[in-house]
Amino acid sequence: MTLIAMTVKAIAFDMDGTLLDTLDDIADSMNSVLARQGLPRQPTANYRQFVGSGARRLVERALPATHTEAAQVEHALAEFEVQYANNWSRQTRLYPGIGTLLDSACERGLALAILTNKPQIFADQCVDHFLPRWPWQVVQGQVEGLAVKPSTDVSNRVTAALALPPEHILYLGDSDVDMYTARNAGYCAVGVTWGFRSEAELRAAGAQVIVHRPDQVLALLG
């Protein structure tokens, strides 16, 4: 705990399942795509496992096995982006305690960043709508031509923008992808249990610390 408090200069956050509860809007959008194609809708709870690796993987996971040819995925992905553009802010909300955590981080002079596999356009919209009062040094989402998390292609951009050694960056996320991302990047990997995945998954993926509430992140910082 003391070591973390002494060395952290920045906090980087995953978005879906960490900063924002986006599950219902994502599920509703993809289920609209499935319904339009005459395919069975997925239970909302299933999307807890579908999200986290980018929009394309979300679509591939939600489609039935009979509809995963490249052209079918491309069509469904395009439809999902249209549907989500209309739904992204309907039920999405900040998790309780996130605002206080961000305020306290700013008071302590910590830099803030977002590293998400959400498409960049939607990541930017969510920041502008739900998180506009905090000074984000970088918001890195999924962009064409760049490998998604846990690749260092994206984390290297965040590290460069923060202009800090990786060991001074705390990374908060709710999935195995996030823990692999943090470990690959050299960040301190903090798993959060208020999101979409289980504590067991986070531990198995290499979480160095597990927190159950945002105020416990503040405790890590002393």
Side-chain angles (χ1 to χ4, degrees):
M1 298 289 187
T2 303
L3 180 62
I4 291 174
M6 290 174 58
T7 60
V8 170
K9 309 261 187 248
I11 306 179
F13 296 83
D14 172 50
M15 180 172 278
D16 299 298
T18 302
L19 290 169
L20 301 175
D21 184 353
T22 57
L23 193 68
D24 288 334
D25 287 336
I26 290 172
D28 287 351
S29 299
M30 188 61 210
N31 278 338
S32 292
V33 174
L34 295 172
R36 286 167 178 264
Q37 295 188 16
L39 300 172
R41 296 163 62 92
Q42 295 276 2
T44 297
N46 286 3
Y47 286 91
R48 291 180 175 273
Q49 298 299 318
F50 296 165
V51 301
S53 299
R56 183 179 300 278
R57 289 293 290 135
L58 163 74
V59 169
E60 290 173 346
R61 290 164 176 166
L63 286 169
T66 54
H67 286 70
T68 54
E69 292 184 5
Q72 294 169 317
V73 172
E74 286 295 333
H75 177 69
L77 176 59
E79 286 296 312
F80 171 74
E81 291 173 345
V82 170
Q83 292 300 316
Y84 192 63
N86 294 324
N87 290 324
W88 63 272
S89 63
R90 295 195 178 194
Q91 299 179 75
T92 291
R93 61 182 177 83
L94 264 71
Y95 283 103
I98 289 296
T100 300
L101 168 57
L102 295 174
D103 287 341
S104 297
C106 290
E107 289 168 4
R108 295 166 192 237
L110 299 176
L112 300 178
I114 291 173
L115 174 54
T116 174
N117 276 341
K118 200 177 198 71
Q120 188 72 53
I121 185 172
F122 296 131
D124 291 337
Q125 286 176 331
C126 282
V127 168
D128 290 344
H129 186 78
F130 296 107
L131 300 156
R133 66 187 182 90
W134 294 284
W136 302 100
Q137 197 150 330
V138 57
V139 177
Q140 181 64 55
Q142 175 190 354
V143 294
E144 193 68 30
L146 202 65
V148 298
K149 298 186 302 183
S151 169
T152 55
D153 286 4
V154 284
S155 59
N156 284 345
R157 285 191 171 194
V158 171
T159 305
L162 292 171
L164 290 169
E167 59 268 24
H168 292 314
I169 301 170
L170 205 70
Y171 186 65
L172 267 67
D174 70 306
S175 74
D176 56 351
V177 169
D178 296 319
M179 298 304 96
Y180 297 141
T181 299
R183 301 308 293 262
N184 289 345
Y187 304 156
C188 179
V190 179
V192 309
T193 62
W194 59 77
F196 302 155
R197 304 290 184 82
S198 70
E199 180 175 346
E201 176 180 307
L202 295 167
R203 290 193 182 281
Q208 294 163 271
V209 182
I210 298 288
V211 293
H212 306 288
R213 304 184 312 272
D215 64 296
Q216 291 179 320
V217 179
L218 298 175
L220 288 178
L221 302 177

